[in-house]
Amino acid sequence: MILQYSPWFVPFLVSALVTGALAIARWRRRASPVVPPFLVLTVTMTVWSLGDALEVVTADLPMHAAINALSYVGMEAVPPAFLFLALYCTGHEHLATRRNV
């Protein structure tokens, strides 16, 4: 894997560390019904940020494509996770059924 310097690496890495720390902190209080959607949201945001951080420093094209695919998994999972978090926070968790998921 060929690496190159990019000034965007540090903000993406800080974002991944913050969202990862939030996921770990909320894992300890997982008895609340709002925590599972919040965990899904923070973990997908961590995957997205970490993928972007690795993507900007990678100069090798095959590795860049693989990391980009990983980043897209996190990126595409954030909006539905945010929707389910909003449903749970507003008291509409009855709309988050297995069929809707």
Side-chain angles (χ1 to χ4, degrees), residues 12-85:
F12 284 138
L13 186 63
V14 168
S15 174
L17 291 174
V18 167
T19 55
L22 281 172
I24 291 169
R26 290 302 105 194
W27 177 255
R28 294 182 182 146
R29 295 186 185 191
R30 59 187 175 269
S32 173
V34 179
V35 172
F38 183 76
L39 281 175
V40 171
L41 179 67
T42 54
V43 167
T44 56
M45 289 172 64
T46 302
V47 169
W48 182 12
S49 298
L50 190 59
D52 282 350
L54 293 175
E55 188 179 346
V56 296
V57 296
T58 304
D60 188 22
L61 188 58
M63 185 60 73
H64 184 81
I67 292 171
N68 192 15
L70 173 74
S71 179
Y72 274 122
V73 169
M75 185 186 312
E76 295 300 321
V78 167
F82 188 74
L83 172 66
F84 285 113
L85 177 65

